[in-house]
Amino acid sequence: MNGLGRVEGKGQIVMQTTEVFFNCPKYIQLRHLETDTPESREPEIGSFEALTTTEQDSITESDTFFMASFNPKTGADASDRGGYPGFIQVINDHQLVFPDYAGNNMFQTLGKLTVNPRCGLLFIDFERGNTLQLTGTAEVIWDQSQFTTVPGAQRLVEFHIEQVLETTNASPIPWRFGEYSPANPAVKKESLTT
């Protein structure tokens, strides 16, 4: 749902919707909430201008991340992106490339990126509760000749990093991996380079 929200008496949030549509669940991996949570620890935040080697490895091993985009006329959007580990390629400490797979065909994220390339990516270490937030700009690559070797790709997205926020102990709630989505396309690590 997208719309306008306001807080009313007793902390109730009232939302007037302007758009209602389904999100594509095809590339969401199954995870199980762990009920026996360890004692929570104080979050520690580090801010960087580029990815460390450890952060690069973490991104390459990720099977899920979330992307936020914004259009001044229509508002913000947050969407999930998923695939097998390796579907996101780290080009260098300031650049990532990942495929855009067929989803709900609403183009909320890609449409906003076309108007405003500024966006953010959120990577979650579900088992440890750590997060990695990246802000920067994205460019949608529509030229099919650049991604014909990327299984399942409808387009590529090239992301240029401006800031990295790494939060250790961001969440005390761990999630255990269950299984990969059966919709995930196969990955060839060398195939995403633009």
Side-chain angles (χ1 to χ4, degrees), residues 24-31 62-65 80-87 99 101-102 150-153 177 179-188:
C24 176
K26 286 170 57 175
Y27 311 105
I28 296 175
Q29 319 322 325
L30 177 65
R31 287 189 162 80
S62 293
D63 59 41
T64 301
F65 70 95
D80 66 288
R81 295 287 188 258
Y84 288 116
F87 85 106
Y101 301 136
V150 183
F177 180 79
E179 62 183 338
Y180 291 113
S181 167
N184 288 348
V187 172
K188 296 178 185 175

Side-chain angles (χ1 to χ4, degrees), residues 37-59:
T37 59
E39 184 178 322
S40 63
R41 292 174 288 175
E42 199 64 32
E44 297 176 17
I45 301 172
S47 178
F48 312 97
E49 292 181 4
L51 293 170
T52 65
T53 303
T54 302
E55 292 164 345
Q56 292 178 40
D57 292 343
S58 177
I59 288 171

Side-chain angles (χ1 to χ4, degrees), residues 6 39 79 111 127 155 180 183 188:
R6 66 181 183 280
E39 184 178 322
S79 60
E127 294 179 3
R155 294 143 287 278
Y180 291 113
K188 296 178 185 175

Side-chain angles (χ1 to χ4, degrees), residues 2 6 31 88 110 112 122 150 181 183-184 188-189 194:
N2 289 333
R6 66 181 183 280
R31 287 189 162 80
I88 310 157
L110 298 184
K112 286 175 174 54
L122 171 66
V150 183
S181 167
N184 288 348
K188 296 178 185 175
K189 287 193 174 195
T194 59

Side-chain angles (χ1 to χ4, degrees), residues 133-184:
Q133 296 168 264
L134 310 178
T135 54
T137 58
E139 177 186 355
V140 181
I141 299 169
W142 300 92
D143 180 2
Q144 287 187 332
S145 68
Q146 294 194 43
F147 53 86
T148 55
T149 61
V150 183
Q154 303 292 305
R155 294 143 287 278
L156 291 180
V157 178
E158 192 173 284
F159 182 75
H160 301 275
I161 299 166
E162 293 175 6
Q163 185 180 26
V164 177
L165 287 178
E166 182 179 42
T167 305
T168 306
N169 306 318
S171 171
I173 304 169
W175 294 80
R176 181 175 39 84
F177 180 79
E179 62 183 338
Y180 291 113
S181 167
N184 288 348

Side-chain angles (χ1 to χ4, degrees), residues 100-149:
D100 180 65
Y101 301 136
N104 64 6
N105 293 317
M106 298 296 291
F107 295 96
Q108 291 290 311
T109 302
L110 298 184
K112 286 175 174 54
L113 292 178
T114 302
V115 173
N116 176 17
R118 299 200 54 73
C119 59
L121 308 182
L122 171 66
F123 293 86
I124 300 173
D125 180 336
F126 291 95
E127 294 179 3
R128 294 175 193 82
N130 304 329
T131 61
L132 186 62
Q133 296 168 264
L134 310 178
T135 54
T137 58
E139 177 186 355
V140 181
I141 299 169
W142 300 92
D143 180 2
Q144 287 187 332
S145 68
Q146 294 194 43
F147 53 86
T148 55
T149 61

Side-chain angles (χ1 to χ4, degrees), residues 1-5 13-23 74-78 104 106 108 112:
M1 295 187 301
N2 289 333
L4 299 173
I13 299 174
V14 177
M15 183 172 174
Q16 179 180 354
T17 58
T18 55
E19 293 179 309
V20 179
F21 53 88
F22 70 97
N23 275 333
T74 60
D77 177 72
N104 64 6
M106 298 296 291
Q108 291 290 311
K112 286 175 174 54

